[in-house]
Amino acid sequence: MDGITSGLVAEQRKDLGRQLAGWRAAAGMTQAQLAKRICYSRSTLANAETGRDMSIRGFWCDADDVVGANGALLAAFDQVAALVRDFHEQRASARDRERRQRAARLIAPTIQAQPSAPAEPRRCQCEAVVVGRWTEREVRAFREALRMTVHDFAQRLGASDAAVSGWEHRRTPTPPKMAAQAVLDQTLALADTDTKARFLLILNTPDQHG
């Protein structure tokens, strides 16, 4: 789905919260009473009703059952959750397009400066990519270049999910130990040329994470 804005997502979350508040009121229950019935804190319920926090699907399933919404609340949650998922996918696609455009801008001047010559198969200039020291930035860039989740990346390296998460932690990263650095070196060396190209591109793209 294209054209999803953060404002639309926020409004849909608020509308979902209003539906929850309406069903709760219709059931004659206070926030504290409903929260107790579904085994959540009152603040969690209050945040859900204001749209600040959607909580998890189990929360909405339990709330739907207790207030007698007959599946209406759960269906509304699923719709908003799908919208949020599409919104994040849209943002990820936009970032990917921006990276490709950036790469094209970097490559174009080089191509224009070269004299005309018979067409040759494209050759990647990143056969030997070497990382002096793996930090959270290089680890994350390599994982993203491989298009892997933390779990899949950890399995590829023979490490734990917690270890990889620690390496990538933005505020207090735990640098990979020498043995892990060597495994990362070897994995990068064995990567295909497209992965290496993406790795270099991601490293040279300003970090847009908050």
Side-chain angles (χ1 to χ4, degrees):
M1 182 183 298
D2 294 326
I4 305 173
T5 65
S6 58
L8 174 62
V9 171
E11 182 55 38
Q12 290 299 308
R13 290 176 60 164
K14 289 179 181 178
D15 182 66
L16 177 63
R18 287 191 289 266
Q19 291 185 54
L20 172 59
W23 280 104
R24 174 181 58 76
M29 303 179 71
T30 65
Q31 287 184 343
Q33 289 171 332
L34 177 56
K36 184 176 181 180
R37 289 283 303 277
I38 62 177
C39 299
Y40 283 86
S41 67
R42 192 199 65 79
S43 61
T44 297
L45 181 62
N47 286 335
E49 289 190 355
T50 57
R52 286 196 297 268
D53 183 7
M54 285 178 58
S55 193
I56 60 176
R57 193 173 191 274
F59 167 92
W60 294 91
C61 183
D62 292 342
D64 184 283
D65 182 58
V66 172
V67 301
N70 297 318
L73 267 180
L74 188 58
F77 166 78
D78 287 340
Q79 289 180 353
V80 177
L83 180 71
V84 172
R85 182 176 61 251
D86 290 343
F87 173 65
H88 288 303
E89 290 178 354
Q90 174 183 288
R91 292 184 64 185
S93 295
R95 287 194 295 268
D96 194 47
R97 283 196 301 272
E98 183 178 340
R99 284 171 176 167
R100 289 198 300 269
Q101 291 169 357
R102 179 182 174 84
R105 289 194 297 269
L106 291 172
I107 294 172
T110 302
I111 295 177
Q112 293 173 359
Q114 293 176 347
S116 299
E120 295 182 358
R122 187 181 68 174
R123 296 177 181 176
C124 179
Q125 302 299 319
C126 51
E127 291 294 342
V129 178
V130 178
V131 174
R133 182 171 180 272
W134 290 89
T135 68
E136 57 92 10
R137 188 164 177 267
E138 286 78 20
V139 172
R140 184 183 302 104
F142 187 29
R143 177 175 62 77
E144 291 180 354
L146 286 167
R147 302 292 195 251
M148 287 186 171
T149 63
V150 168
H151 176 70
D152 292 339
F153 190 49
Q155 287 195 323
R156 176 78 167 267
L157 300 175
S160 67
D161 293 7
V164 173
S165 295
W167 299 342
E168 293 190 10
H169 199 285
R170 292 183 176 279
R171 294 185 178 178
T172 56
T174 304
K177 295 182 179 179
M178 287 299 104
Q181 297 253 350
V183 173
L184 286 163
D185 288 339
Q186 182 180 23
T187 305
L188 176 60
L190 295 175
D192 59 46
T193 54
D194 284 346
T195 297
K196 292 176 181 177
R198 282 195 299 270
F199 173 64
L200 293 176
L201 179 59
I202 293 171
L203 280 180
N204 285 286
T205 300
D207 195 343
Q208 298 182 10
H209 290 80

